[in-house]
Short mmCIF file of all heavy atoms in Angstrom, two decimals:
data_model
loop_
_atom_site.label_atom_id
_atom_site.label_comp_id
_atom_site.label_asym_id
_atom_site.label_seq_id
_atom_site.Cartn_x
_atom_site.Cartn_y
_atom_site.Cartn_z
N MET A 225 0.84 -1.18 0.00
CA MET A 225 0.00 0.00 0.00
C MET A 225 0.89 1.24 0.00
O MET A 225 1.84 1.35 0.77
CB MET A 225 -0.89 -0.01 1.24
CG MET A 225 -1.92 1.06 1.24
SD MET A 225 -3.05 0.74 2.62
CE MET A 225 -3.98 2.20 2.54
N THR A 226 0.59 2.18 -0.89
CA THR A 226 1.41 3.37 -0.99
C THR A 226 0.98 4.43 0.00
O THR A 226 -0.18 4.48 0.41
CB THR A 226 1.34 3.96 -2.42
OG1 THR A 226 -0.01 4.30 -2.70
CG2 THR A 226 1.86 2.99 -3.44
N ASP A 227 1.92 5.26 0.37
CA ASP A 227 1.66 6.36 1.27
C ASP A 227 1.05 7.51 0.46
O ASP A 227 1.65 7.97 -0.50
CB ASP A 227 2.97 6.79 1.92
CG ASP A 227 2.80 7.89 2.93
OD1 ASP A 227 1.73 7.96 3.56
OD2 ASP A 227 3.74 8.68 3.10
N THR A 228 -0.14 7.96 0.82
CA THR A 228 -0.82 9.02 0.10
C THR A 228 -0.79 10.30 0.92
O THR A 228 -1.14 10.30 2.09
CB THR A 228 -2.28 8.64 -0.21
OG1 THR A 228 -2.27 7.42 -0.95
CG2 THR A 228 -2.97 9.70 -1.02
N LYS A 229 -0.36 11.37 0.27
CA LYS A 229 -0.28 12.68 0.92
C LYS A 229 -1.13 13.68 0.14
O LYS A 229 -1.30 13.55 -1.07
CB LYS A 229 1.16 13.18 0.94
CG LYS A 229 2.10 12.32 1.69
CD LYS A 229 3.52 12.87 1.58
CE LYS A 229 4.51 11.96 2.23
NZ LYS A 229 5.03 10.94 1.34
N LEU A 230 -1.65 14.66 0.84
CA LEU A 230 -2.39 15.75 0.22
C LEU A 230 -1.65 17.03 0.56
O LEU A 230 -1.35 17.28 1.73
CB LEU A 230 -3.81 15.78 0.77
CG LEU A 230 -4.72 16.82 0.16
CD1 LEU A 230 -5.05 16.43 -1.28
CD2 LEU A 230 -5.98 16.94 0.96
N GLU A 231 -1.34 17.82 -0.44
CA GLU A 231 -0.60 19.06 -0.23
C GLU A 231 -1.39 20.23 -0.81
O GLU A 231 -1.79 20.19 -1.97
CB GLU A 231 0.77 18.97 -0.89
CG GLU A 231 1.62 20.19 -0.68
CD GLU A 231 2.98 20.05 -1.33
OE1 GLU A 231 3.84 19.40 -0.72
OE2 GLU A 231 3.15 20.57 -2.45
N ILE A 232 -1.60 21.25 0.00
CA ILE A 232 -2.28 22.47 -0.44
C ILE A 232 -1.27 23.60 -0.36
O ILE A 232 -0.66 23.82 0.68
CB ILE A 232 -3.51 22.78 0.43
CG1 ILE A 232 -4.47 21.60 0.48
CG2 ILE A 232 -4.23 24.02 -0.11
CD1 ILE A 232 -5.61 21.76 1.46
N SER A 233 -1.10 24.33 -1.46
CA SER A 233 -0.17 25.46 -1.50
C SER A 233 -0.96 26.76 -1.43
O SER A 233 -2.01 26.90 -2.07
CB SER A 233 0.64 25.44 -2.79
OG SER A 233 1.39 24.26 -2.89
N PHE A 234 -0.45 27.69 -0.65
CA PHE A 234 -1.09 28.99 -0.46
C PHE A 234 -0.09 30.09 -0.77
O PHE A 234 1.12 29.88 -0.69
CB PHE A 234 -1.52 29.17 1.01
CG PHE A 234 -2.51 28.17 1.50
CD1 PHE A 234 -2.09 27.02 2.13
CD2 PHE A 234 -3.87 28.38 1.34
CE1 PHE A 234 -2.99 26.10 2.61
CE2 PHE A 234 -4.78 27.46 1.80
CZ PHE A 234 -4.35 26.32 2.44
N LEU A 235 -0.60 31.29 -1.06
CA LEU A 235 0.23 32.48 -1.13
C LEU A 235 -0.08 33.32 0.10
O LEU A 235 -1.24 33.54 0.43
CB LEU A 235 -0.09 33.31 -2.37
CG LEU A 235 0.57 32.88 -3.67
CD1 LEU A 235 0.15 33.81 -4.81
CD2 LEU A 235 2.07 32.85 -3.56
N ASP A 236 0.97 33.78 0.77
CA ASP A 236 0.75 34.62 1.94
C ASP A 236 0.76 36.10 1.53
O ASP A 236 0.86 36.44 0.36
CB ASP A 236 1.76 34.31 3.05
CG ASP A 236 3.18 34.73 2.74
OD1 ASP A 236 3.42 35.36 1.68
OD2 ASP A 236 4.06 34.44 3.56
N ALA A 237 0.64 36.98 2.52
CA ALA A 237 0.57 38.42 2.26
C ALA A 237 1.83 38.96 1.60
O ALA A 237 1.80 40.01 0.96
CB ALA A 237 0.29 39.16 3.56
N PHE A 238 2.95 38.25 1.75
CA PHE A 238 4.22 38.69 1.16
C PHE A 238 4.53 37.94 -0.13
O PHE A 238 5.65 37.96 -0.62
CB PHE A 238 5.35 38.48 2.18
CG PHE A 238 5.11 39.20 3.46
CD1 PHE A 238 4.72 38.51 4.59
CD2 PHE A 238 5.24 40.58 3.54
CE1 PHE A 238 4.48 39.16 5.79
CE2 PHE A 238 4.99 41.25 4.72
CZ PHE A 238 4.61 40.55 5.84
N HIS A 239 3.52 37.26 -0.68
CA HIS A 239 3.62 36.49 -1.94
C HIS A 239 4.64 35.37 -1.85
O HIS A 239 5.29 35.02 -2.83
CB HIS A 239 3.90 37.40 -3.13
CG HIS A 239 2.81 38.40 -3.35
ND1 HIS A 239 1.60 38.05 -3.87
CD2 HIS A 239 2.74 39.72 -3.07
CE1 HIS A 239 0.82 39.12 -3.92
NE2 HIS A 239 1.50 40.14 -3.43
N LYS A 240 4.78 34.79 -0.68
CA LYS A 240 5.60 33.59 -0.50
C LYS A 240 4.67 32.39 -0.47
O LYS A 240 3.53 32.49 -0.03
CB LYS A 240 6.38 33.65 0.82
CG LYS A 240 7.46 34.70 0.82
CD LYS A 240 8.24 34.64 2.11
CE LYS A 240 9.28 35.73 2.17
NZ LYS A 240 9.98 35.73 3.44
N VAL A 241 5.16 31.26 -0.92
CA VAL A 241 4.37 30.04 -0.95
C VAL A 241 4.44 29.36 0.42
O VAL A 241 5.51 29.17 0.97
CB VAL A 241 4.85 29.09 -2.05
CG1 VAL A 241 4.09 27.77 -2.00
CG2 VAL A 241 4.71 29.73 -3.41
N VAL A 242 3.27 29.01 0.94
CA VAL A 242 3.15 28.27 2.20
C VAL A 242 2.47 26.96 1.85
O VAL A 242 1.45 26.95 1.16
CB VAL A 242 2.30 29.05 3.23
CG1 VAL A 242 2.12 28.25 4.49
CG2 VAL A 242 2.92 30.40 3.51
N ARG A 243 3.03 25.83 2.31
CA ARG A 243 2.45 24.53 1.99
C ARG A 243 1.93 23.86 3.26
O ARG A 243 2.56 23.92 4.30
CB ARG A 243 3.49 23.64 1.33
CG ARG A 243 3.79 24.07 -0.07
CD ARG A 243 4.73 23.13 -0.78
NE ARG A 243 4.94 23.53 -2.14
CZ ARG A 243 5.85 24.41 -2.53
NH1 ARG A 243 6.63 24.97 -1.65
NH2 ARG A 243 5.97 24.71 -3.80
N PHE A 244 0.78 23.22 3.11
CA PHE A 244 0.16 22.46 4.18
C PHE A 244 0.02 21.04 3.68
O PHE A 244 -0.56 20.81 2.62
CB PHE A 244 -1.21 23.06 4.52
CG PHE A 244 -1.99 22.28 5.53
CD1 PHE A 244 -1.62 22.29 6.86
CD2 PHE A 244 -3.09 21.55 5.15
CE1 PHE A 244 -2.34 21.58 7.80
CE2 PHE A 244 -3.82 20.83 6.08
CZ PHE A 244 -3.45 20.85 7.40
N ARG A 245 0.56 20.07 4.41
CA ARG A 245 0.55 18.69 3.94
C ARG A 245 -0.13 17.79 4.97
O ARG A 245 0.16 17.85 6.16
CB ARG A 245 1.97 18.20 3.69
CG ARG A 245 2.00 16.78 3.16
CD ARG A 245 3.36 16.33 2.80
NE ARG A 245 3.69 16.89 1.50
CZ ARG A 245 4.85 16.69 0.88
NH1 ARG A 245 5.79 15.99 1.46
NH2 ARG A 245 5.07 17.19 -0.29
N LEU A 246 -1.03 16.95 4.47
CA LEU A 246 -1.66 15.90 5.28
C LEU A 246 -1.08 14.57 4.83
O LEU A 246 -1.10 14.26 3.63
CB LEU A 246 -3.18 15.89 5.06
CG LEU A 246 -3.95 17.10 5.57
CD1 LEU A 246 -5.37 17.07 5.03
CD2 LEU A 246 -3.96 17.11 7.07
N ASN A 247 -0.58 13.79 5.75
CA ASN A 247 -0.02 12.48 5.43
C ASN A 247 -1.06 11.39 5.70
O ASN A 247 -1.99 11.58 6.48
CB ASN A 247 1.23 12.20 6.27
CG ASN A 247 2.36 13.14 5.92
OD1 ASN A 247 2.56 13.47 4.76
ND2 ASN A 247 3.08 13.58 6.93
N ASN A 248 -0.88 10.26 5.07
CA ASN A 248 -1.73 9.07 5.25
C ASN A 248 -3.21 9.38 5.02
O ASN A 248 -4.07 9.07 5.84
CB ASN A 248 -1.54 8.48 6.64
CG ASN A 248 -0.11 8.06 6.88
OD1 ASN A 248 0.55 7.58 5.98
ND2 ASN A 248 0.37 8.29 8.08
N VAL A 249 -3.51 9.99 3.90
CA VAL A 249 -4.88 10.34 3.54
C VAL A 249 -5.60 9.08 3.07
O VAL A 249 -5.07 8.29 2.30
CB VAL A 249 -4.88 11.40 2.41
CG1 VAL A 249 -6.29 11.72 1.97
CG2 VAL A 249 -4.17 12.65 2.89
N LYS A 250 -6.82 8.90 3.55
CA LYS A 250 -7.61 7.72 3.16
C LYS A 250 -8.27 7.97 1.81
O LYS A 250 -8.70 9.07 1.51
CB LYS A 250 -8.67 7.43 4.21
CG LYS A 250 -8.06 7.02 5.52
CD LYS A 250 -9.11 6.62 6.51
CE LYS A 250 -8.39 6.36 7.81
NZ LYS A 250 -8.95 5.43 8.66
N GLN A 251 -8.35 6.91 1.03
CA GLN A 251 -8.97 6.97 -0.29
C GLN A 251 -10.43 6.56 -0.19
O GLN A 251 -10.76 5.80 0.69
CB GLN A 251 -8.23 6.03 -1.25
CG GLN A 251 -6.81 6.39 -1.48
CD GLN A 251 -6.66 7.60 -2.39
OE1 GLN A 251 -7.65 8.16 -2.84
NE2 GLN A 251 -5.45 8.01 -2.63
N PRO A 252 -11.31 6.97 -1.03
CA PRO A 252 -11.16 8.01 -2.04
C PRO A 252 -11.29 9.40 -1.42
O PRO A 252 -11.92 9.57 -0.37
CB PRO A 252 -12.32 7.73 -2.99
CG PRO A 252 -13.37 7.14 -2.13
CD PRO A 252 -12.64 6.35 -1.07
N VAL A 253 -10.75 10.38 -2.09
CA VAL A 253 -10.78 11.76 -1.61
C VAL A 253 -11.78 12.54 -2.45
O VAL A 253 -11.74 12.49 -3.67
CB VAL A 253 -9.37 12.40 -1.73
CG1 VAL A 253 -9.42 13.85 -1.35
CG2 VAL A 253 -8.38 11.65 -0.87
N ASP A 254 -12.69 13.24 -1.80
CA ASP A 254 -13.68 14.06 -2.49
C ASP A 254 -13.05 15.43 -2.78
O ASP A 254 -12.71 16.17 -1.86
CB ASP A 254 -14.92 14.22 -1.61
CG ASP A 254 -16.04 14.98 -2.28
OD1 ASP A 254 -15.87 15.38 -3.45
OD2 ASP A 254 -17.08 15.18 -1.63
N SER A 255 -12.90 15.76 -4.06
CA SER A 255 -12.22 16.99 -4.44
C SER A 255 -12.96 18.24 -3.96
O SER A 255 -12.33 19.24 -3.62
CB SER A 255 -12.03 17.05 -5.96
OG SER A 255 -13.27 17.01 -6.62
N GLN A 256 -14.28 18.18 -3.87
CA GLN A 256 -15.04 19.33 -3.37
C GLN A 256 -14.75 19.59 -1.89
O GLN A 256 -14.64 20.73 -1.46
CB GLN A 256 -16.53 19.13 -3.58
CG GLN A 256 -16.94 19.21 -5.03
CD GLN A 256 -18.43 18.98 -5.21
OE1 GLN A 256 -19.07 18.34 -4.39
NE2 GLN A 256 -18.96 19.51 -6.29
N LYS A 257 -14.58 18.52 -1.12
CA LYS A 257 -14.25 18.69 0.29
C LYS A 257 -12.85 19.25 0.46
O LYS A 257 -12.61 20.06 1.37
CB LYS A 257 -14.37 17.35 1.03
CG LYS A 257 -15.80 16.91 1.22
CD LYS A 257 -15.88 15.63 2.01
CE LYS A 257 -17.32 15.19 2.17
NZ LYS A 257 -17.41 13.94 2.92
N ILE A 258 -11.92 18.86 -0.39
CA ILE A 258 -10.56 19.38 -0.32
C ILE A 258 -10.55 20.86 -0.67
O ILE A 258 -9.88 21.66 0.00
CB ILE A 258 -9.61 18.59 -1.24
CG1 ILE A 258 -9.60 17.12 -0.84
CG2 ILE A 258 -8.22 19.18 -1.22
CD1 ILE A 258 -9.24 16.87 0.61
N GLU A 259 -11.29 21.25 -1.70
CA GLU A 259 -11.38 22.67 -2.05
C GLU A 259 -12.05 23.45 -0.93
O GLU A 259 -11.65 24.57 -0.62
CB GLU A 259 -12.12 22.86 -3.36
CG GLU A 259 -11.28 22.49 -4.56
CD GLU A 259 -11.94 22.86 -5.86
OE1 GLU A 259 -12.72 23.84 -5.89
OE2 GLU A 259 -11.66 22.18 -6.85
N ALA A 260 -13.05 22.87 -0.29
CA ALA A 260 -13.71 23.53 0.84
C ALA A 260 -12.73 23.70 2.00
O ALA A 260 -12.73 24.75 2.68
CB ALA A 260 -14.94 22.73 1.29
N LEU A 261 -11.88 22.70 2.24
CA LEU A 261 -10.86 22.82 3.28
C LEU A 261 -9.88 23.95 2.95
O LEU A 261 -9.54 24.76 3.82
CB LEU A 261 -10.09 21.50 3.42
CG LEU A 261 -8.87 21.53 4.35
CD1 LEU A 261 -9.29 21.81 5.79
CD2 LEU A 261 -8.11 20.22 4.26
N ALA A 262 -9.46 24.03 1.70
CA ALA A 262 -8.54 25.10 1.29
C ALA A 262 -9.20 26.47 1.46
O ALA A 262 -8.58 27.40 1.98
CB ALA A 262 -8.11 24.89 -0.16
N ASP A 263 -10.46 26.60 1.06
CA ASP A 263 -11.19 27.87 1.23
C ASP A 263 -11.34 28.22 2.70
O ASP A 263 -11.18 29.38 3.10
CB ASP A 263 -12.56 27.79 0.56
CG ASP A 263 -12.47 27.72 -0.96
OD1 ASP A 263 -11.45 28.17 -1.52
OD2 ASP A 263 -13.42 27.22 -1.57
N PHE A 264 -11.63 27.21 3.54
CA PHE A 264 -11.74 27.42 4.98
C PHE A 264 -10.42 27.94 5.56
O PHE A 264 -10.40 28.85 6.38
CB PHE A 264 -12.15 26.12 5.68
CG PHE A 264 -12.09 26.18 7.17
CD1 PHE A 264 -13.14 26.72 7.89
CD2 PHE A 264 -10.97 25.72 7.86
CE1 PHE A 264 -13.08 26.79 9.28
CE2 PHE A 264 -10.90 25.78 9.24
CZ PHE A 264 -11.97 26.33 9.95
N MET A 265 -9.32 27.34 5.10
CA MET A 265 -8.02 27.74 5.63
C MET A 265 -7.66 29.17 5.20
O MET A 265 -7.01 29.90 5.95
CB MET A 265 -6.95 26.75 5.21
CG MET A 265 -7.14 25.41 5.90
SD MET A 265 -5.93 24.18 5.43
CE MET A 265 -4.51 24.78 6.32
N VAL A 266 -8.10 29.59 4.03
CA VAL A 266 -7.86 30.97 3.60
C VAL A 266 -8.72 31.92 4.44
O VAL A 266 -8.24 32.95 4.92
CB VAL A 266 -8.16 31.14 2.10
CG1 VAL A 266 -8.20 32.61 1.72
CG2 VAL A 266 -7.14 30.39 1.26
N THR A 267 -9.97 31.56 4.66
CA THR A 267 -10.88 32.42 5.39
C THR A 267 -10.51 32.56 6.86
O THR A 267 -10.50 33.65 7.41
CB THR A 267 -12.33 31.87 5.29
OG1 THR A 267 -12.67 31.76 3.92
CG2 THR A 267 -13.30 32.78 6.00
N ASN A 268 -10.17 31.45 7.50
CA ASN A 268 -9.93 31.46 8.95
C ASN A 268 -8.47 31.48 9.36
O ASN A 268 -8.16 31.75 10.51
CB ASN A 268 -10.61 30.24 9.58
CG ASN A 268 -12.10 30.32 9.40
OD1 ASN A 268 -12.73 31.26 9.83
ND2 ASN A 268 -12.67 29.33 8.74
N ASP A 269 -7.57 31.16 8.45
CA ASP A 269 -6.12 31.19 8.67
C ASP A 269 -5.69 30.47 9.95
O ASP A 269 -5.06 31.06 10.82
CB ASP A 269 -5.63 32.63 8.66
CG ASP A 269 -4.13 32.74 8.43
OD1 ASP A 269 -3.53 31.76 7.96
OD2 ASP A 269 -3.57 33.80 8.74
N PRO A 270 -6.03 29.17 10.10
CA PRO A 270 -5.65 28.46 11.32
C PRO A 270 -4.14 28.25 11.48
O PRO A 270 -3.67 27.98 12.57
CB PRO A 270 -6.37 27.12 11.19
CG PRO A 270 -6.50 26.92 9.72
CD PRO A 270 -6.71 28.31 9.15
N LEU A 271 -3.38 28.41 10.40
CA LEU A 271 -1.93 28.25 10.48
C LEU A 271 -1.23 29.54 10.90
O LEU A 271 -0.04 29.55 11.15
CB LEU A 271 -1.37 27.81 9.12
CG LEU A 271 -1.91 26.50 8.56
CD1 LEU A 271 -1.37 26.25 7.17
CD2 LEU A 271 -1.57 25.35 9.49
N ALA A 272 -1.99 30.65 10.98
CA ALA A 272 -1.45 31.97 11.33
C ALA A 272 -0.30 32.36 10.41
O ALA A 272 0.72 32.87 10.85
CB ALA A 272 -1.04 32.01 12.79
N LYS A 273 -0.48 32.11 9.12
CA LYS A 273 0.56 32.43 8.14
C LYS A 273 0.14 33.58 7.23
O LYS A 273 0.81 33.86 6.25
CB LYS A 273 0.86 31.20 7.27
CG LYS A 273 1.40 30.02 8.03
CD LYS A 273 2.84 30.22 8.36
CE LYS A 273 3.42 28.97 8.99
NZ LYS A 273 4.81 29.10 9.31
N ASN A 274 -0.97 34.24 7.52
CA ASN A 274 -1.49 35.34 6.71
C ASN A 274 -1.70 34.93 5.25
O ASN A 274 -1.33 35.64 4.33
CB ASN A 274 -0.56 36.55 6.77
CG ASN A 274 -0.49 37.14 8.16
OD1 ASN A 274 -1.51 37.21 8.84
ND2 ASN A 274 0.68 37.54 8.58
N VAL A 275 -2.30 33.76 5.04
CA VAL A 275 -2.53 33.28 3.68
C VAL A 275 -3.64 34.11 3.03
O VAL A 275 -4.62 34.47 3.66
CB VAL A 275 -2.85 31.78 3.64
CG1 VAL A 275 -1.66 30.97 4.06
CG2 VAL A 275 -4.06 31.42 4.48
N MET A 276 -3.44 34.41 1.75
CA MET A 276 -4.38 35.23 1.01
C MET A 276 -5.25 34.41 0.06
O MET A 276 -6.40 34.73 -0.15
CB MET A 276 -3.63 36.29 0.20
CG MET A 276 -2.70 37.15 1.05
SD MET A 276 -3.55 38.11 2.30
CE MET A 276 -4.32 39.34 1.30
N GLU A 277 -4.67 33.36 -0.52
CA GLU A 277 -5.40 32.50 -1.44
C GLU A 277 -4.67 31.17 -1.58
O GLU A 277 -3.47 31.09 -1.34
CB GLU A 277 -5.53 33.15 -2.82
CG GLU A 277 -4.20 33.31 -3.55
CD GLU A 277 -4.35 33.88 -4.94
OE1 GLU A 277 -5.34 33.58 -5.63
OE2 GLU A 277 -3.46 34.65 -5.34
N TRP A 278 -5.42 30.13 -1.95
CA TRP A 278 -4.76 28.86 -2.24
C TRP A 278 -4.46 28.83 -3.72
O TRP A 278 -5.21 29.37 -4.53
CB TRP A 278 -5.55 27.67 -1.75
CG TRP A 278 -6.89 27.42 -2.37
CD1 TRP A 278 -8.09 27.90 -1.94
CD2 TRP A 278 -7.17 26.61 -3.51
NE1 TRP A 278 -9.10 27.43 -2.74
CE2 TRP A 278 -8.56 26.64 -3.71
CE3 TRP A 278 -6.40 25.86 -4.37
CZ2 TRP A 278 -9.19 25.96 -4.75
CZ3 TRP A 278 -7.02 25.17 -5.40
CH2 TRP A 278 -8.39 25.22 -5.57
N THR A 279 -3.34 28.22 -4.06
CA THR A 279 -2.90 28.24 -5.46
C THR A 279 -2.89 26.86 -6.11
O THR A 279 -3.04 26.76 -7.31
CB THR A 279 -1.48 28.83 -5.57
OG1 THR A 279 -0.59 28.07 -4.77
CG2 THR A 279 -1.47 30.27 -5.13
N GLU A 280 -2.71 25.81 -5.30
CA GLU A 280 -2.61 24.47 -5.89
C GLU A 280 -2.94 23.41 -4.86
O GLU A 280 -2.62 23.55 -3.69
CB GLU A 280 -1.19 24.25 -6.41
CG GLU A 280 -0.98 22.96 -7.14
CD GLU A 280 0.42 22.85 -7.70
OE1 GLU A 280 1.37 23.32 -7.05
OE2 GLU A 280 0.55 22.26 -8.77
N ILE A 281 -3.58 22.36 -5.33
CA ILE A 281 -3.86 21.19 -4.50
C ILE A 281 -3.26 19.98 -5.21
O ILE A 281 -3.51 19.78 -6.40
CB ILE A 281 -5.37 20.98 -4.29
CG1 ILE A 281 -5.97 22.16 -3.55
CG2 ILE A 281 -5.63 19.68 -3.54
CD1 ILE A 281 -7.48 22.13 -3.45
N LYS A 282 -2.45 19.21 -4.50
CA LYS A 282 -1.82 18.02 -5.08
C LYS A 282 -2.12 16.82 -4.21
O LYS A 282 -2.13 16.92 -2.99
CB LYS A 282 -0.30 18.16 -5.11
CG LYS A 282 0.25 19.07 -6.12
CD LYS A 282 1.77 18.99 -6.07
CE LYS A 282 2.40 20.02 -6.95
NZ LYS A 282 3.86 19.96 -6.85
N MET A 283 -2.33 15.69 -4.85
CA MET A 283 -2.39 14.42 -4.15
C MET A 283 -1.20 13.61 -4.63
O MET A 283 -0.99 13.45 -5.83
CB MET A 283 -3.67 13.65 -4.42
CG MET A 283 -3.75 12.40 -3.58
SD MET A 283 -5.16 11.36 -3.94
CE MET A 283 -6.50 12.48 -3.81
N ILE A 284 -0.40 13.14 -3.69
CA ILE A 284 0.84 12.44 -4.01
C ILE A 284 0.76 11.02 -3.46
O ILE A 284 0.52 10.84 -2.28
CB ILE A 284 2.04 13.19 -3.40
CG1 ILE A 284 2.05 14.64 -3.86
CG2 ILE A 284 3.33 12.48 -3.73
CD1 ILE A 284 2.88 15.56 -3.01
N GLU A 285 0.93 10.05 -4.34
CA GLU A 285 0.99 8.64 -3.94
C GLU A 285 2.41 8.17 -4.12
O GLU A 285 2.90 8.12 -5.25
CB GLU A 285 0.03 7.79 -4.76
CG GLU A 285 -1.42 7.98 -4.40
CD GLU A 285 -2.33 7.05 -5.16
OE1 GLU A 285 -1.84 6.22 -5.95
OE2 GLU A 285 -3.54 7.15 -4.96
N GLY A 286 3.06 7.82 -3.03
CA GLY A 286 4.47 7.44 -3.10
C GLY A 286 5.29 8.64 -3.49
O GLY A 286 5.39 9.61 -2.76
N THR A 287 5.84 8.63 -4.70
CA THR A 287 6.61 9.77 -5.21
C THR A 287 5.97 10.38 -6.44
O THR A 287 6.53 11.28 -7.04
CB THR A 287 8.04 9.32 -5.57
OG1 THR A 287 7.96 8.28 -6.55
CG2 THR A 287 8.79 8.83 -4.35
N GLN A 288 4.78 9.92 -6.81
CA GLN A 288 4.13 10.37 -8.03
C GLN A 288 2.92 11.24 -7.72
O GLN A 288 2.07 10.88 -6.89
CB GLN A 288 3.69 9.16 -8.86
CG GLN A 288 3.07 9.51 -10.17
CD GLN A 288 2.70 8.26 -10.96
OE1 GLN A 288 2.83 7.15 -10.49
NE2 GLN A 288 2.21 8.46 -12.17
N THR A 289 2.82 12.39 -8.39
CA THR A 289 1.65 13.26 -8.24
C THR A 289 0.52 12.69 -9.09
O THR A 289 0.67 12.52 -10.30
CB THR A 289 1.98 14.69 -8.69
OG1 THR A 289 3.05 15.19 -7.88
CG2 THR A 289 0.78 15.61 -8.55
N VAL A 290 -0.62 12.39 -8.45
CA VAL A 290 -1.73 11.80 -9.18
C VAL A 290 -2.88 12.77 -9.39
O VAL A 290 -3.78 12.51 -10.18
CB VAL A 290 -2.25 10.53 -8.46
CG1 VAL A 290 -1.22 9.44 -8.50
CG2 VAL A 290 -2.67 10.83 -7.05
N LEU A 291 -2.87 13.90 -8.68
CA LEU A 291 -3.91 14.90 -8.84
C LEU A 291 -3.29 16.27 -8.64
O LEU A 291 -2.54 16.47 -7.67
CB LEU A 291 -5.03 14.69 -7.83
CG LEU A 291 -6.09 15.80 -7.73
CD1 LEU A 291 -6.98 15.77 -8.94
CD2 LEU A 291 -6.89 15.65 -6.47
N SER A 292 -3.56 17.19 -9.52
CA SER A 292 -3.10 18.56 -9.35
C SER A 292 -4.23 19.47 -9.80
O SER A 292 -4.73 19.32 -10.92
CB SER A 292 -1.85 18.79 -10.18
OG SER A 292 -1.31 20.05 -9.92
N ALA A 293 -4.64 20.38 -8.93
CA ALA A 293 -5.78 21.24 -9.23
C ALA A 293 -5.41 22.70 -9.11
O ALA A 293 -4.55 23.07 -8.33
CB ALA A 293 -6.94 20.93 -8.30
N LYS A 294 -6.10 23.51 -9.87
CA LYS A 294 -5.99 24.96 -9.94
C LYS A 294 -4.63 25.34 -10.38
O LYS A 294 -4.18 25.88 -11.16
CB LYS A 294 -6.30 25.64 -8.63
CG LYS A 294 -6.57 27.12 -8.81
CD LYS A 294 -7.09 27.74 -7.57
CE LYS A 294 -7.43 29.19 -7.79
NZ LYS A 294 -7.85 29.90 -6.66
#
């Protein structure tokens, strides 16, 4: 069984990329829920990184990217 990770990339107020990664994600993943999570993180900023928008969502299985959005 491969290790599946979910990575969401954000831009902060200084236009630097901030990445949030979830390890050991269970399959299948609902893309609408992942986008809702990214929108929630932009709105509420739980990482306290001053994120302005999300730029990319990736699902990585092992070493291969299997999903890339936006």
Side-chain angles (χ1 to χ4, degrees):
M225 188 170 173
T226 59
D227 183 30
T228 303
K229 299 176 184 89
L230 183 70
E231 182 179 279
I232 305 172
S233 300
F234 299 93
L235 278 180
D236 69 5
F238 303 105
H239 298 286
K240 291 183 183 177
V241 175
V242 177
R243 288 185 177 86
F244 175 73
R245 182 175 280 180
L246 293 168
N247 294 321
N248 301 323
V249 177
K250 295 185 185 209
Q251 297 285 1
V253 176
D254 184 1
S255 61
Q256 289 179 335
K257 288 183 181 179
I258 300 304
E259 285 188 29
L261 172 64
D263 292 336
F264 171 83
M265 292 179 74
V266 168
T267 304
N268 296 302
D269 199 17
L271 301 175
K273 298 283 186 179
N274 295 320
V275 294
M276 305 298 287
E277 66 177 324
W278 64 269
T279 58
E280 184 176 36
I281 297 172
K282 286 184 187 178
M283 185 185 307
I284 304 161
E285 286 184 2
T287 59
Q288 183 178 5
T289 300
V290 293
L291 170 73
S292 187
K294 197 171 183 184

